[in-house]
Amino acid sequence: MDDGSMVLGGTVYNDAGIQSIGIGLENRTKILMLHTAQYTQDKDGVDKLNELNQKIDDIDAKRIAKQIDNVAVHEFITQICCQIDGVETNGSEALRGMRKAAIRRAEEVAKKSDESRRGIDP
């Protein structure tokens, strides 16, 4: 491309914007994806944060179904927040962002628990 465009993967970047282009893959095509050193370094933290996010979702579902009371919700959320705090980022901005998002999600569940106790959340 002589117009100053840059092609990365299946995407063209130029002054006009970003445009996806087909790369000729059909259904059931197998692709080998190589993991970067950063992925290898962050993998354990990502896996742990995904596990903790699932626990937060489980607590929220039980809260909505009224299977656990508000005191228990706060206790479980506090425990999960401590576990989130224990996930090492090793300087990774991606992991740091994931941790912040997980803490925000946990705080949101705790807030909804408080609101439902006061009758705000049906």
Side-chain angles (χ1 to χ4, degrees), residues 23-92:
I23 56 175
L25 296 178
E26 298 178 14
N27 280 344
R28 305 209 184 262
T29 300
K30 293 183 181 179
I31 300 175
L32 174 64
M33 297 182 73
L34 302 175
H35 298 292
T36 64
Q38 186 67 39
Y39 173 82
T40 304
Q41 179 181 346
D42 291 353
K43 184 179 183 328
D44 291 338
V46 169
D47 290 344
K48 184 63 177 172
L49 288 170
N50 285 337
E51 175 187 324
L52 293 170
N53 277 319
Q54 183 59 51
K55 286 183 179 181
I56 293 168
D57 291 343
D58 292 345
I59 290 169
D60 195 28
K62 289 178 181 177
R63 175 194 66 80
I64 291 169
K66 301 195 184 312
Q67 294 174 348
I68 56 177
D69 65 10
N70 293 323
V71 174
V73 169
H74 281 277
E75 179 61 31
F76 290 138
I77 291 297
T78 300
Q79 290 174 10
I80 289 173
C81 285
C82 290
Q83 292 174 4
I84 292 169
D85 191 45
V87 174
E88 289 294 326
T89 62
N90 299 317
S92 169

